[in-house]
Amino acid sequence: TPTKVGGAQLAKGSYTLHLEGDKAIFKDEHSKSVSVPVKLENGTGKKFGFTTVEAVQKDGADSIKSIHLEGSTTTLDFAY
């Protein structure tokens, strides 16, 4: 199943994620990168125990809505 984030399609594989201002940059193992807008949300509750990805099926692809970052209360929101 194809995966999309912020309207951009991600090829199969592993990615690192970097934040630059209001952009999330996904870089694959071949150093190809995709930059998409992101909204940072900092919660006040308990820190996330794991990094998790929330996605929905949309138009035949998995569309990433948000990523919760392990060891923090930060959520990266791609569905705003």
Side-chain angles (χ1 to χ4, degrees):
T1 303
T3 301
K4 292 185 177 183
V5 61
Q9 186 161 327
L10 299 176
K12 289 183 182 181
S14 298
Y15 287 82
T16 56
L17 173 64
H18 300 278
L19 299 174
E20 290 184 12
D22 62 350
K23 300 282 184 205
I25 300 164
F26 292 83
K27 187 180 283 189
D28 69 13
E29 58 267 6
H30 305 292
S31 295
K32 182 180 177 190
S33 62
V34 174
S35 177
V36 296
V38 66
K39 179 178 169 188
L40 291 175
E41 296 179 357
N42 290 304
T44 58
K46 186 177 176 183
K47 291 182 179 180
F48 297 113
F50 302 93
T51 295
T52 58
V53 177
E54 287 187 45
V56 295
Q57 280 268 315
K58 184 177 179 183
D59 300 325
D62 289 328
S63 183
I64 297 174
K65 287 177 45 180
S66 61
I67 299 175
H68 307 287
L69 301 178
E70 177 183 9
S72 75
T73 59
T74 302
T75 297
L76 308 179
D77 182 9
F78 299 100
Y80 66 96

